[in-house]
Each structure stands twice: as C-alpha cells, then as structure tokens.
Amino acid sequence: MRQAVNIQHQSLILQIILWITALLISSCSQNNANQPDVSGKKDTLKPPVTIIVKTPVVTLLDTCPPPLTITIPGNKKDSFVLKLNNSKKVIHTPEIKSADFSVLMPNYNTGQGLANSAVKGSCIDENGNLWFATFGGGISRYDGHSFMNYDMSMGLIINLANCIMQDRDKNLWVGTTSGVSLYNGRSFTNFTIADGLVHNSVRSIFQDKNGNIWFGTNGGVSKYDGKAFTNYTTADGLINNTVKSIFQDKSGNIWCGTIEGVSRYDGKTFRNYTTTEGLVNNSVECILEDKNGNIWFGGWGLCRMDPYGSFKTYTAPVELADKWIPSIYEDKEGNLWFGTGEGVFRLKVDGSLMNLNEDRGLANNQVNSILEDKAGNLWFGTENGISRFDQDGKLFVAYTTAQGLTNNSVMSFCEDKERNLWFGTTGGGVSKLDKDGKTFTNYTTAQGLSHNVVRSMAEDKAGNLWFGTDGGGVCRLDPARKIFTIYTISQGLAGNNIRSIREDKTGNLWFGDADRGVSMLDKEYHYCPTKSSKKRVVLRTTRNS
C-alpha cells in the first residue's frame, strides 16, 4: 500500500515539472516574438576609427628667434623700459603686500532658523545649548543642529529681548523692553512694575553668589530673592538710574554700569566712579573681572581697574582706543575678547591682538554679545546674525585682494620646494604667498610676465617656475636669478594658450594648448642651456588635425 502511494506521489511531481517546463517554453517564445529585428541593422554599424599618430613637428630652438629674457628689477630705482618691436613697456619691481588673513566663519541668521538677526544677548545652559536674545523675534535655542524659537505666542512677555541668563536652578531669565520673563522649561512667568520690578525696560541680568537675581533697568536696579523685589535708585546712592550692565566681583561687590559712571554696592552703600576717578568714559556698557582680579569697563573706550583700585585707560593697542565696546568676555585660555562696532578683538595673554570683522567672515561688525561653548568655540551675537569662531584650528582661512592677492579669480596654483604657494589668476598675473603666510609677492606684465591670465603652472626639478598663459605662451621664472624667459609659437610652441604643464620622469616638459595640440620641451634644455652646448635643444609639437 505504501509503495502505491509513493508511485502516485512521484507521478504527481512529474506532471507538475512537465507543466512548468511547458510554461517556460511558451514564455520564451513570446519574448522572442516581441524582440526587435536587428538583423537588418547589424550590417549598418560602422567599424571603429583608427587614427595613425602623425610624426610630431620638431623645431630646433637654435634655428628660430631666441626666447625673450627679462630680468626682474630688484628695486624701484632699477625699473627700465623694454622695447618690443614698435612698442615700449616699463618693467617694474614686483609688488609686495602683507598677507593679512580672512577667517571663513559659519554664520547663522533667519535663513538658518534664528528668530531674528538682531542678537542682543546670549548664554549657554547646563546641557550646552546656546540661547540668544533677539530684538524682534523673541529668543532662540541652538542645540548644535537646529534652532527652536520662543516668542509671545508661547508666553514670552514681548519679542523685543535685550538679554538672557540661566540661573542655578536651570531657569532662563529674559530681559525685554516690557519686563522680565522667567522660563522654567515648560512655561513662562512674567514680571513687570506691577509685580515690583523697578522699571519694565530691562538691560542686564545677573545672579549673585547668594542666588539673588539682579536686573539693570532704565529706572534703576532691582534685586529678586525668589519672593519679592528690592529696588535701588539714585535716591539710594546709585549714580544714575539707566543701568546698562551689572556684575559681581570676587569680593561680592555688585557693580552697576550706567550712562553717567559706575556704582559699586558692597551690600550697604554705593561708591561711585566717573572719569574724575579714572574711567575712560562715563557711559559703561559692560563690566568683567578677569582671572587676575582686574575689572574691565567697556563703553566709549576701554579701561581697567587693578586689584588695588588703580585705573588704566587703554590707548594702546591703538586698535582698541576710542572704540565703542558693548561686550567683553574672557575665554578658558585667559584671552580677552572685546565686541565693538568694528568687529571683535582678541587680546591674548601674550599681548598680541587680532581683529575679526566682516572682511574676515564676521556676520556683522556690531558685536553685542560673546560666549564660549563647551567645545571652546566662540560665538558672537551681532546686528545681523551669529558667527562662530573655531579656536582649535578647524577653520578655513581665506585670502583675497583684501589680503594682498593680485586677483580673486584663481585659475591655477602650485607649491614650490621652499613651501611657498603660487597662484595664477585671471587678469592679475601671479601671486606668491611666502611659506610663513605673511607676505604676498605679485608678478604681472609689469615685471615681465607675458600675459596676466595664467591658467597653468608647474615647478621643474631645477626649481624654475613655469606659467602657462592665455595668449602669451609659456613663461619660465628663475627665482634665484629673478629672470623671466618667454616661449611662444615663435620658438615652436604649438599654441600660445597653455592650459596644462607637466614634467615627466626624465625631465621633459609638456605643454598642453587649448586647441592646437601638445608640445614637449626636451630635458636637455634644463641642463645644457648654454650656447657652448653641442646638443641641440628641441621643441617637439603634435598639432591637432
């Protein structure tokens, strides 16, 4: 019985296999029927074209006009007039410029999600998020990837924010033109003069060592202890009621910068300082105590009070003298940053000064606030967005005509054996940036270059620089002797529009023209350039048919 079942089972499997086979054969037949007939087209296909390379044209350099050789003047007084056929050209010494730098900083504005581009204040929370007070858009939080904005629709008292601070309890305080908003991470609580605030226009916020929150306003100072406000005005000894900045020093004194000087409050009485006591100007926008105990005051100019109470006005560096300074910050390395109306200045501990402005990539020259994130990056809040400066070297440095480059359109470049960088430009000739990155030396037709459009360049084994130009052939610069030598079609070059230059392993130089083929300069040129050489120097040229 079991054997009969197996036979029936095998018979069923065989029938299924035969049915699938028939189906496949039918499908293939239909596919073949639908295939286009290519038998008639097969004979119409053209065979591949074979081009026999023609014998290159060989030009003996000693049978044609010699290349033009021009010695570059070393000094201005050595300039001379070069006669070319029926024309004259004055050959000058190269132009040398100090190579100032430009930092391409990432900038953030409303296009990247910032609530408003006018940033008045900033702070960093315990999680590393950056908060920005904007004048017109409320406040923005940046988490390193995207912006989250908070405005009146979410409970903020008004969108005109002047300052922002996080307290020890992780609450955010926002000073605006209409009072103070407290954000606890879930909702806003607003305070105005109706709640005891001395004035609704709040310019600055600070938390002291005891946890009290101080507010500098246009009507005096308010201290909030978590339950009630205590107000201080000129009636209590404050020098002026318009308080732009507020700060606590290491000794616990509260400093208030006003439009008529500075007041120091020791917990009992006020002591006032003006230009009579040594302030550079009575309008004080910002106050900071550095790691050494010096207290800095910024406004119209910059001054510093040492730990002994003596003032010093900064007239040097001259770049900081008489500047409008609305913000001061000390970074982790002890460098001081000054936000001004002309960009931001960094005063390093070694005394060196650096300025970052719009020409160097800053979003705007008016820097209202400065902060440092946990990674050591500096953030600058300006009147037209935010800029980030990366201090660890992971940044782009840009060189343009503003830094000494002869032209901003760079077509070619190379690095020579001395580590100098050479740039070929469109219309400006060649610029050399020295290896220390401090100086540009520019070469144009005024120094003997055959054309100011340089599309290719290379350095040969002997240290000569070769420049392929757009219409002037190829120029060889001997840096040691400061001599240009020019080769054109008169010396056998295939064409005068040189797009590429290469030196092969044997020392031959190859020049690619835009549309007239390739030329090879025999290597013997490099090592037997004198007339006494018995070997004949040749240019081998293969032209396009």
Side-chain angles (χ1 to χ4, degrees):
M1 181 68 178
R2 184 173 298 173
Q3 184 178 6
V5 172
N6 289 338
I7 293 173
Q8 291 178 1
H9 180 67
Q10 292 174 2
S11 176
L12 179 60
I13 292 174
L14 180 60
Q15 291 178 13
I16 292 173
I17 292 173
L18 291 174
W19 179 79
I20 293 174
T21 303
L23 181 63
L24 290 174
I25 294 172
S26 175
S27 176
C28 291
S29 300
Q30 291 178 3
N31 288 337
N32 289 334
N34 293 329
Q35 292 294 323
D37 182 10
V38 297
S39 58
K41 295 183 178 180
K42 187 174 181 180
D43 295 334
T44 63
L45 294 176
K46 296 181 179 180
V49 178
T50 301
I51 300 176
I52 300 174
V53 178
K54 298 179 180 179
T55 303
V57 177
V58 178
T59 303
L60 303 177
L61 294 187
D62 53 6
T63 64
C64 59
L68 179 63
T69 301
I70 301 172
T71 301
I72 304 170
N75 302 295
K76 290 184 178 180
K77 63 180 181 179
D78 297 328
S79 298
F80 63 92
V81 177
L82 179 68
K83 295 182 179 180
L84 297 171
N85 299 326
N86 297 323
S87 63
K88 297 179 180 180
K89 181 169 68 172
V90 180
I91 303 299
H92 298 280
T93 185
E95 179 186 37
I96 299 177
K97 290 185 177 182
S98 175
D100 201 0
F101 70 91
S102 173
V103 180
L104 298 183
M105 291 180 282
N107 295 325
Y108 305 83
N109 52 41
T110 53
Q112 286 73 47
L114 187 65
N116 187 283
S117 290
V119 178
K120 299 296 185 180
S122 56
C123 73
I124 181 171
D125 66 22
E126 81 286 352
N127 295 319
N129 298 308
L130 306 180
W131 292 83
F132 301 99
T134 77
F135 202 73
I139 60 175
S140 293
R141 185 194 70 188
Y142 182 67
D143 63 3
H145 302 284
S146 60
F147 285 95
M148 176 69 182
N149 300 322
Y150 303 80
D151 57 19
M152 294 175 64
S153 67
M154 300 176 181
L156 188 66
I157 194 168
I158 198 172
N159 288 338
L160 301 173
N162 289 317
C163 50
I164 189 168
M165 183 212 72
Q166 186 183 45
D167 65 23
R168 298 171 191 171
D169 297 323
K170 303 179 183 180
N171 299 307
L172 280 170
W173 294 84
V174 184
T176 77
T177 58
S178 298
V180 176
S181 289
L182 167 65
Y183 181 64
N184 62 9
R186 299 179 301 276
S187 61
F188 284 93
T189 302
N190 299 321
F191 301 88
T192 66
I193 55 176
D195 303 290
L197 192 65
V198 69
H199 196 280
N200 281 338
S201 184
V202 178
R203 308 285 291 270
S204 56
I205 308 175
F206 190 86
Q207 185 175 30
D208 67 22
K209 296 176 181 179
N210 297 321
N212 301 306
I213 309 297
W214 293 76
F215 306 97
T217 78
N218 282 351
V221 175
S222 289
K223 181 182 73 172
Y224 183 67
D225 62 5
K227 297 179 180 180
F229 286 94
T230 302
N231 298 325
Y232 304 87
T233 66
T234 53
D236 303 291
L238 189 66
I239 194 169
N240 186 275
N241 284 336
T242 302
V243 181
K244 294 184 173 182
S245 54
I246 194 163
F247 183 82
Q248 185 178 38
D249 65 24
K250 295 175 182 177
S251 300
N253 301 305
I254 300 295
W255 293 80
C256 305
T258 79
I259 61 173
E260 291 186 356
V262 174
S263 292
R264 186 188 71 184
Y265 182 64
D266 61 7
K268 296 179 180 180
T269 59
F270 285 94
R271 179 178 177 181
N272 299 323
Y273 300 85
T274 66
T275 53
T276 303
E277 285 72 36
L279 277 179
V280 65
N281 191 282
N282 283 336
S283 183
V284 178
E285 289 283 328
C286 52
I287 308 172
L288 177 134
E289 184 178 20
D290 65 24
K291 295 177 180 179
N292 298 318
N294 301 300
I295 298 178
W296 297 77
F297 305 95
W300 280 112
L302 178 68
C303 67
R304 184 193 72 184
M305 176 189 281
D306 65 25
Y308 304 102
S310 298
F311 280 96
K312 177 184 178 181
T313 298
Y314 273 75
T315 56
V318 68
E319 292 88 350
L320 287 175
D322 301 323
K323 291 286 189 300
W324 175 245
I325 302 176
S327 55
I328 305 176
Y329 189 86
E330 185 178 27
D331 65 24
K332 297 172 184 175
E333 301 297 325
N335 304 309
L336 289 171
W337 295 80
F338 305 97
T340 77
E342 299 177 18
V344 64
F345 290 82
R346 182 187 67 186
L347 181 62
K348 295 192 73 173
V349 292
D350 62 5
S352 61
L353 190 71
M354 177 186 71
N355 175 225
L356 299 174
N357 52 34
E358 291 179 14
D359 292 335
R360 293 180 170 180
L362 193 66
N364 184 266
N365 280 339
Q366 181 64 50
V367 180
N368 299 318
S369 65
I370 307 170
L371 66 85
E372 183 177 18
D373 64 24
K374 292 184 177 181
N377 303 308
L378 271 296
W379 295 76
F380 310 115
T382 78
E383 287 294 320
N384 191 34
I386 306 162
S387 293
R388 188 191 79 209
F389 177 72
D390 191 342
Q391 289 206 88
D392 65 3
K394 296 178 182 178
L395 49 81
F396 289 99
V397 176
Y399 294 92
T400 67
T401 52
Q403 286 75 47
L405 189 67
T406 186
N407 188 283
N408 284 337
S409 179
V410 178
M411 304 294 292
S412 56
F413 62 89
C414 74
E415 183 180 25
D416 65 24
K417 297 175 182 178
E418 301 298 325
R419 299 186 67 183
N420 302 303
L421 292 173
W422 296 79
F423 304 95
T425 74
T426 303
V430 176
S431 288
K432 182 189 79 171
L433 179 64
D434 61 15
K435 61 183 178 182
D436 61 6
K438 294 182 177 180
T439 305
F440 274 107
T441 303
N442 297 326
Y443 299 86
T444 67
T445 52
Q447 285 73 53
L449 191 66
S450 62
H451 200 286
N452 283 334
V453 177
V454 179
R455 293 183 175 271
S456 56
M457 62 174 62
E459 183 186 29
D460 64 24
K461 295 177 181 177
N464 299 304
L465 275 299
W466 294 81
F467 307 114
T469 74
D470 198 14
V474 65
C475 291
R476 178 178 69 92
L477 173 63
D478 183 338
R481 295 192 297 163
K482 296 183 179 180
I483 294 176
F484 273 115
T485 304
I486 301 170
Y487 298 85
T488 66
I489 55 176
S490 299
Q491 284 74 47
L493 202 61
N496 287 334
N497 299 310
I498 305 302
R499 294 292 190 268
S500 59
I501 306 174
R502 291 290 185 274
E503 184 180 27
D504 62 27
K505 294 180 180 180
T506 60
N508 302 314
L509 279 166
W510 296 78
F511 308 101
D513 186 78
D515 55 11
R516 301 192 65 182
V518 178
S519 298
M520 184 195 75
L521 181 61
D522 191 284
K523 67 176 181 179
E524 297 297 336
Y525 170 81
H526 298 94
Y527 308 107
C528 303
T530 61
K531 292 183 179 179
S532 60
S533 174
K534 296 181 180 179
K535 296 184 179 180
R536 308 186 77 182
V537 182
V538 298
L539 267 172
R540 299 181 183 272
T541 300
T542 300
R543 292 188 173 88
N544 293 338
S545 58

